[in-house]
Each structure stands twice: as structure tokens, then as C-alpha cells.
Amino acid sequence: MADKVRVAGVGMIPFSKPGRSASYPVMAEDAARAALDDAGIPYDAVQQAYAGYVYGDSTAGQSALYSLGLSGIPVVNVNNNCATGSSALWLARQAVASGSADCVLAVGFEQMRPGALGRIWDDRPDPLRRFLDRMTELQGFDDRIPVAAQLFGGAGAAYADTYGTAPATFAKIAVKSRRHAAGNPYAVFRSPITEDEVLASPPVYGPLTRLQCCPPTCGAAAAVLCSQDFARRHGVRSPVVIRAQAMTSDSPTSFGTSGSTDMMRVVGYDMTREAARQVYEAGGCGPEDIGVVELHDCFTANELITYEALGLTPEGTGEKFVLDGDNTYGGQVVVNPSGGLLSKGHPLGATGLAQCTELVWQLRGQAGSRQVEDATTALQHNIGLGGACVVTLYEKAP
């Protein structure tokens, strides 16, 4: 597993609001073709495919990929909530690193409906029941407010209660997101907003207002991974490799069965911290070596607590990190140059691979006006309640 896996090609389509996109097979095909074209290889060179989506019927991955060709390769459908895209990427990397395949395609897509996320099946146990029970114990439950907003808003409130964080600090993250997205033609929201506008938008839960919540979005993204030997034989020019990667699920601290638990732990703070620890250890580096990060900012509150979970700043210093501008251009590390989920949008199955695409473009120097200067290492963080967290370290190879 020590052989570094090369990201041969990436591709994505502009994200859009529900009702304004093409159908999921069209979106997925377009993103996959873009990744294959970027890699400079035909679909018949791909030996395995992993297709990620959350809201769709079984074997939607085959439906999405059959337009590329009926090659007979294994197509594995992946659903890991909001971490679905990066879970597909994790499986693809494992396949190449283990030697079971030389060239693998990971594609993520989502055709979403308007409005907040909700349950589809009401005749069977809810996979989030354990999380909701713990949330109710800690802060109660309000059936008038979207569950995700209560979970992540509660995490933001817990952080603010502990460290005295001002509401304006969370709002500054939303403003930064839009400022970054202005240079991203793939983002849904590119118009600037002010701190006052963020704070004046309708309250949702805890420190969150409406402009601090990511929108439901449709879209697709893809990546082609290959071995170093395959890259040499096929003339793959991309210099980006995956240096380290880790995937974690919940530990006892998420539910209060081991030590203290607060809402930050319920939404995956410790999952993130452990995945990041494994990646830094395997990659032989630390957070101080990272120049650009795409992290899971489904809400401004999650971006703030994730700064600390990833080790970008010590615990309790997230507010200073924001106020000092260490999360943007000219600071310590550029976080979410794409605009992140808050501005780019969050098509669940596509998000992890969209993050991958952005970071590959950054390391190649192909990010246009949002390019991070001298970026040679990049970190990706994608989390899904339920739970799964994938952290990936990329580097620009010599």
C-alpha cells in the first residue's frame, strides 16, 4: 500500500439549484468524460469504477456509466451520506494501491430536490437515531427546524459557549466563502455578501442564519486514479499523487459512552481529528505543511470547529484564526478556495470528488483567479453523519 497513487485526471460540471440541472446520468457522464479527457485515456482503459450518490435507486451508478461504454468492468455503488464522494475516492485509491487494479474511475453525482434534507423511509429504523437521541439529551429537539441545522448549529453553540465566540465570527466565514467563490465558475452562489447581510438573514439554529447554511444542489464530479507504472506506460502527465488517506467512523465519544461528549463530538469532531492524525502520520508531515484545504463547510459552524479538528489551529483559537485572516489568501492556509459547500453547493454524492478536483487544479496551477500561490501540498476533508470521515493528503510530485 506504500506506492503513491496518481490522480490522472479530474472533472466536474457547474453545480446548479434543484430543478435546473440535467438528469443524473447526463451529469455523471459529463463529469466522467471530463476526467477521462483530462487524463488522456479512453474509458476502456479503466478496470474498476466506484459511483457515489445518496438519493437514487440501486445501480444508478451503472446507469450513469453505461453511456461511456459497456466494458463489463465492476461498478460498485457507494452511499455514505455526505462523505459519499470521498468514500468512492477512498475505495478507488485502495484498489490501485493494493495492486488489484491499475486504473480506476471514481464518480459522484446527485440530483436533489428543493428544501432541507429529510428522511425517505419512514417504515424502518432511522440510521441517525443514535445521533438524534444524544442531541435531544444535550439540547432538546425542535420538529420545526431541519435536523442537520440543529445538529451542526448545536455544535456551533457548544463551541461558542465554551470559548465565547461572537456571532460575527461565524458570519465572517460565510463572507469569506462568497469572496472565494467569485472566482469559481462551477459555484452556485458567486455574488458577494456582507457580514451584516449574513447576520440579518433569518435565524435557523444557534449561531446559524440562513446564509450560513449550504444549499441543496445538483451536480457531478469525477477522478481517474492510476498506478505510477500505468501513468508511465500511458503518458499520464498529471503530477498530483495521493500521499496519504484515512477514513474513520464514530468512536464512543460521539455518544457520551466514553468520557465527556458535547454536540461537536456528535457531529464528528473526533472522527475528523483521528482521520487527520492518521494522515499526518502516514504522510510524514503536519498541518503547518499544508498550503490549501478543502474542508466540509456544510454550515459555518462546522468550518470553524474543523479548523481545530484538522490541527490548523490549536483548540480554542478558531476565532482568532478567522479574525487574523489565517483562513484565506495571505494568511496561514487558504481554506475552501472553491467557495466550499456554502457557496459552491453540496450535491451530496459529488462533494468529495468536487473537493478532489479543486485541489488537483490548485496543485497543477490551473485554478485561475483563485490560485493559491506555490501550492505543493493540499488537504481534503469530507464528513458524513452516520458516520464517515475521509481525510486525503495530496502532493505535487517532482
Side-chain angles (χ1 to χ4, degrees), residues 24-26 28-30 32 51 59-68 107 109:
Y24 77 84
V26 174
E29 179 187 353
D30 287 348
T59 68
Q62 283 87 333
S63 174
L65 294 178
Y66 278 0
S67 294
L68 296 173
V107 61
F109 53 87

Side-chain angles (χ1 to χ4, degrees), residues 1-12:
M1 299 288 283
D3 187 35
K4 292 175 182 175
V5 174
R6 189 170 295 269
V7 185
V10 292
M12 64 182 295

Side-chain angles (χ1 to χ4, degrees), residues 337-388:
S338 69
L341 285 62
L342 287 168
S343 296
K344 185 172 79 264
H346 184 24
L348 277 62
T351 286
L353 286 156
Q355 292 175 320
C356 168
T357 298
E358 173 68 23
L359 293 178
V360 168
W361 286 340
Q362 288 286 345
L363 293 178
R364 290 182 185 167
Q366 298 174 332
S369 63
R370 62 188 187 281
Q371 181 65 50
V372 177
E373 187 177 358
D374 299 325
T376 58
T377 57
L379 193 72
Q380 176 190 353
H381 162 264
N382 189 202
I383 197 165
L385 292 179

Side-chain angles (χ1 to χ4, degrees), residues 1 6 11 32 67 93 171 178 219 224 233 255 278 288 305 312 373 386:
M1 299 288 283
R6 189 170 295 269
S67 294
R93 184 200 63 85
R178 288 292 188 94
V224 178
R233 288 187 284 110
F255 308 110
Q278 292 180 28
E288 67 278 2
I305 68 175
L312 302 177
E373 187 177 358

